[in-house]
Amino acid sequence: MSEVATLPSESRAAKEVQARDQVDRDILIAMKKPGPLYWVAVCACFGFFVLGMAMFGNMVDKGFGLTGVSHPYNWSIYIVDFVFWVGIAHSGTLISAILLLFRAKFRNRFNRQAEAMTCISVLCAGMYPILHLGRPWFNFFLFPYPTERQLWINFRSPLTWDVFAVSTYLIVSMIFFYVGMIPDLAIARQYATGLRKKIYGILSLGWRGTDREWKHYEKVCLFLAALAAPLVVSVHSVVSWDFAMSLLPGWHATIFAPYFVAGAIFSGCGMVLTLVIPMRKIFRLEKYITIDHFDKLCKLIMFTSMIVGYAYLMEVALANYGTNPFEKALFDHRMGGHYRIAFWMMVFCNCIAPLTLWVKKLRHSIPWLFVLSILINIGMWLERYVIVVTSLSNDFDPYNWGYYVPTIYDFGLTIMNFGFFFGMFLLFCRFLPMMAIMEVKEEVK
Amino acid sequence: MSREYVLDGEHEFVTKVKELTAGGVSPDRIRTFTPVPVHGLEEMLRRRPSLLKFFTLFGGLTGCATGYGFAIYTVYRWAFETSEVQWPWGLVTGGKPPLSIPAYTVIGFELTILFGALCSVLGFLLLSRMPKFMAFVPEKEYGNRFAIVVEDEERK
């Protein structure tokens, strides 16, 4: 038995409730029953994935010869794709963790999508080292356990660091994604009916928004952000050390870690634009994701683009200034040899095209931002291609040189994960709150 | 008999909480349900600061010790387990010193983060008493309104 007293409220306060209800409805609109076009898009995306997996199956059966991967460019497409997807993952944690610590308010319009993107793209990245094994059923060799002769994996190897870094990253970014979503899942539960209400109830862990829950929730978000921020920097540094710890010209450089981290954030922000621009249009979120929010994201893109441009310039400058003839020969080859088109396209997409963002009019033009985001994605994929393939193709000994020609299998295994990525993102938009509802509501006064 | 107040605005909510506590209602009898976090509520209700930091610290330190310890153990395990071999004997691979602290730092660092994050989440669940197995879907939800429930007995 309880006594309920609903106090007479002012009209301003009543409007506040209406405004918050409106935010819920506007953002949860994507969770309504979608049209057939949505399912066609999901099937098409997963169709590419299935096709790629079929190609992979055939490759396991017949051998690596089906792809262009051979001596001396043994890493080629797989590691290009691996680094590309790990890079894409980075902006998610940057936007949600580092910008949270910096109290950059604009982050709350992008953080949920970016975190979803992080989780999906780490999954995409994780597939490639396994596909690259040739005998993927032996992938457990990567994990730390002793062999029958009591020898352990080598903890001095960058590849072992990679296993630790990427799996930590996957777990921590999933935790971050999920914990951040708990209050929003409770909102979804409130609006859902039937079985869906029960599922969202379980996912929201019975969240009610009590003072005790909020107290610990705010703290856990802060601590996870504080842990995830150095993790972002460390993971791509470790990925860069996969290259930089070797002695190969073009790879053996101390600039690699900061250069890779900046590049990762740059490519990730590009991918956020690619995903958010159509999403904003389809779900009519113009009220929530405004031009001003894009403007701020563009400034981040400009900043990281300039770091990347500086790193390109510095690499070439140091190769020419230094005394290592192999390094100089390699950079001459990169800029003027077999792979020169990839190199100059990379420079155009990553350093020259983003310069247009200095013009306010272009920064505020959504169609241009979409085109630019595609250029950035292409440019950053090419960057990894240039780094991995050119250095392996032209090392110290001309007798050992080669020229990598991708086959249809290389293309198939690359497109496969684009299908997986976009398909999973479409599922995310349908089944989970696609924007941080609670954080948007905090701004409603 | 518990009393329940449902308010529309954050401002009204804060005023009511202050009014109740000033009116002699023990803060331990007050439970609130809010759609967004209300800053300063903890002080108003005289709640103790969150203990979550100790979970994070414990996890981070354990992870760091595990990372370094594990990597070091794998090279020195024969010295640890065989009495005939004298310390500091380690398994040399690639001509590197067995105790390669800079290389093991990566492992130590990653596990610091991993264990720290896992312990933080575990601490969050324990301290906020989630998941609520008996009430995943609560009987009553206040939606976007702010609610104050004054209970008969002080909460533990």
Side-chain angles (χ1 to χ4, degrees):
Chain A
M1 180 78 182
S2 73
E3 177 196 321
V4 178
T6 308
L7 300 174
S9 55
E10 292 171 26
S11 60
R12 183 189 51 77
K15 275 188 190 148
E16 261 183 43
V17 177
Q18 281 170 10
R20 283 193 291 266
D21 285 345
Q22 189 63 40
V23 174
D24 287 352
R25 281 195 298 274
D26 286 347
I27 297 177
L28 294 177
I29 196 165
M31 294 167 98
K32 294 216 175 96
K33 207 171 163 76
L37 202 64
Y38 170 84
W39 293 113
V40 170
V42 171
C43 291
C45 289
F46 283 106
F48 279 112
F49 179 65
V50 172
L51 196 71
M53 273 299 178
M55 282 180 146
F56 169 64
N58 199 25
M59 190 197 80
V60 171
D61 183 36
K62 306 260 164 47
F64 258 107
L66 291 177
T67 66
V69 178
S70 180
H71 178 82
Y73 31 80
N74 294 308
W75 274 15
S76 25
I77 205 81
Y78 299 96
I79 302 304
V80 173
D81 287 334
F82 165 71
V83 182
F84 175 76
W85 285 112
V86 177
I88 292 293
H90 276 61
S91 77
T93 322
L94 174 101
I95 290 175
S96 40
I98 299 186
L99 296 186
L100 177 88
L101 298 177
F102 282 139
R103 308 251 186 273
K105 280 269 182 212
F106 80 95
R107 68 172 269 285
N108 64 20
R109 307 304 157 110
F110 298 114
N111 72 335
R112 180 64 45 74
Q113 303 93 312
E115 283 166 30
M117 197 183 85
T118 298
C119 296
I120 304 168
S121 48
V122 180
L123 287 175
C124 290
M127 278 183 217
Y128 284 105
I130 295 174
L131 300 188
H132 191 195
L133 290 176
R135 292 179 294 169
W137 51 94
F138 286 127
N139 74 69
F140 62 93
F141 279 18
L142 293 165
F143 293 103
Y145 73 99
T147 66
E148 63 275 20
R149 292 193 298 149
Q150 299 304 308
L151 290 169
W152 287 72
I153 54 167
N154 185 3
F155 284 101
R156 289 176 215 98
S157 159
L159 299 181
T160 301
W161 301 346
D162 227 14
V163 173
F164 276 79
V166 175
S167 42
T168 300
Y169 193 47
L170 178 67
I171 296 166
V172 173
S173 52
M174 285 199 167
I175 290 174
F176 203 72
F177 178 55
Y178 177 64
V179 170
M181 209 162 44
I182 291 175
D184 290 355
L185 286 167
I187 295 169
R189 172 191 71 195
Q190 197 186 315
Y191 287 87
T193 49
L195 182 66
R196 287 184 75 145
K197 196 179 185 75
K198 278 189 191 143
I199 294 172
Y200 288 120
I202 293 169
L203 287 176
S204 63
L205 307 174
W207 174 272
R208 295 194 72 190
T210 62
D211 53 299
R212 186 202 315 249
E213 285 166 3
W214 281 123
K215 179 173 82 173
H216 300 301
Y217 176 80
E218 292 209 301
K219 280 277 178 280
V220 78
C221 285
L222 186 70
F223 292 150
L224 284 179
L227 289 168
L231 182 66
V232 180
V233 179
S234 84
V235 172
H236 224 59
S237 300
V238 167
V239 170
S240 82
W241 293 332
D242 284 346
F243 303 99
M245 295 290 281
S246 76
L247 296 176
L248 214 58
W251 284 7
H252 188 61
T254 46
I255 199 174
F256 255 46
Y259 159 34
F260 265 53
V261 173
I265 291 163
F266 175 61
S267 70
C269 289
M271 191 57 106
V272 169
L273 282 182
T274 313
L275 292 172
V276 170
I277 290 172
M279 190 178 121
R280 170 180 184 261
K281 182 87 186 152
I282 293 167
F283 300 118
R284 299 191 185 86
L285 294 171
E286 287 88 352
K287 200 164 79 182
Y288 299 102
I289 307 174
T290 61
I291 296 287
D292 190 47
H293 294 114
F294 281 121
D295 186 85
K296 290 193 168 103
L297 192 63
C298 285
K299 285 175 183 162
L300 193 62
I301 291 178
M302 280 157 71
F303 173 62
T304 44
S305 155
M306 284 188 290
I307 299 179
V308 169
Y310 173 81
Y312 293 165
L313 202 67
M314 236 352 96
E315 271 196 311
V316 177
L318 287 178
N320 282 287
Y321 183 66
T323 51
N324 186 338
F326 301 106
E327 193 83 9
K328 185 176 178 326
L330 180 92
F331 278 94
D332 288 348
H333 180 74
R334 264 190 197 174
M335 291 187 292
H338 288 139
Y339 304 100
R340 63 184 180 278
I341 296 174
F343 180 85
W344 291 109
M345 266 178 75
M346 167 193 96
V347 171
F348 172 76
C349 293
N350 295 346
C351 309
I352 297 168
L355 289 179
T356 54
L357 294 178
W358 285 95
V359 182
K360 195 172 179 183
K361 211 169 171 182
L362 288 173
R363 213 157 63 217
H364 289 188
S365 153
I366 300 293
W368 171 243
L369 288 186
F370 189 69
V371 172
L372 183 70
S373 75
I374 304 284
L375 285 179
I376 292 172
N377 289 331
I378 296 172
M380 286 310 292
W381 191 87
L382 286 172
E383 181 200 291
R384 278 63 182 252
Y385 179 84
V386 166
I387 291 172
V388 174
V389 174
T390 56
S391 283
L392 285 171
S393 301
N394 289 68
D395 61 359
F396 303 97
D397 180 5
Y399 185 74
N400 199 29
W401 288 358
Y403 179 49
Y404 171 60
V405 183
T407 69
I408 184 100
Y409 279 81
D410 298 62
F411 288 113
L413 291 169
T414 301
I415 291 167
M416 168 180 105
N417 268 356
F418 281 93
F420 179 78
F421 179 78
F422 289 114
M424 288 294 278
F425 196 81
L426 285 171
L427 292 180
F428 153 74
C429 288
R430 166 84 175 88
F431 292 105
L432 294 172
M434 60 178 172
M435 260 174 82
I437 308 175
M438 185 275 285
E439 292 187 41
V440 175
K441 275 202 285 196
E442 262 189 302
E443 290 178 15
V444 174
K445 288 286 177 215
Chain B
M1 198 164 70
S2 69
R3 278 175 293 157
E4 191 178 296
Y5 304 91
V6 183
L7 301 118
D8 283 350
E10 191 177 330
H11 178 72
E12 287 75 13
F13 167 77
V14 172
T15 318
K16 189 71 195 169
V17 171
K18 281 183 185 158
E19 194 187 303
L20 285 171
T21 46
V25 178
S26 157
D28 291 337
R29 281 171 58 198
I30 297 177
R31 281 177 77 196
T32 62
F33 298 88
T34 56
V36 290
V38 178
H39 297 287
L41 188 65
E42 281 174 49
E43 289 77 25
M44 271 181 262
L45 295 174
R46 295 194 278 276
R47 301 279 195 248
R48 273 173 301 180
S50 174
L51 295 175
L52 193 69
K53 51 187 175 256
F54 297 108
F55 283 86
T56 312
L57 181 70
F58 171 77
L61 292 177
T62 315
C64 187
T66 311
Y68 278 109
F70 183 41
I72 293 168
Y73 167 75
T74 59
V75 281
Y76 283 117
R77 65 179 298 275
W78 286 338
F80 286 132
E81 288 172 13
T82 320
S83 55
E84 295 142 30
V85 188
Q86 292 299 306
W87 179 269
W89 187 91
L91 186 65
V92 178
T93 47
K96 309 284 193 308
L99 195 66
S100 309
I101 292 298
Y104 300 160
T105 300
V106 176
I107 310 292
F109 178 83
E110 298 299 341
L111 291 193
T112 306
I113 304 281
L114 180 65
F115 283 36
L118 289 173
C119 282
S120 303
V121 172
L122 197 71
F124 163 64
L125 294 177
L126 280 175
L127 293 171
S128 53
R129 305 194 187 162
M130 290 207 295
K132 296 183 175 65
F133 290 108
M134 292 299 129
F136 280 126
V137 180
E139 282 171 18
K140 188 167 187 185
E141 288 191 84
Y142 299 96
N144 280 316
R145 290 189 165 75
F146 294 80
I148 308 167
V149 177
V150 181
E151 313 235 337
D152 298 338
E153 287 167 22
E154 294 197 354
R155 70 173 189 177
K156 304 286 179 298

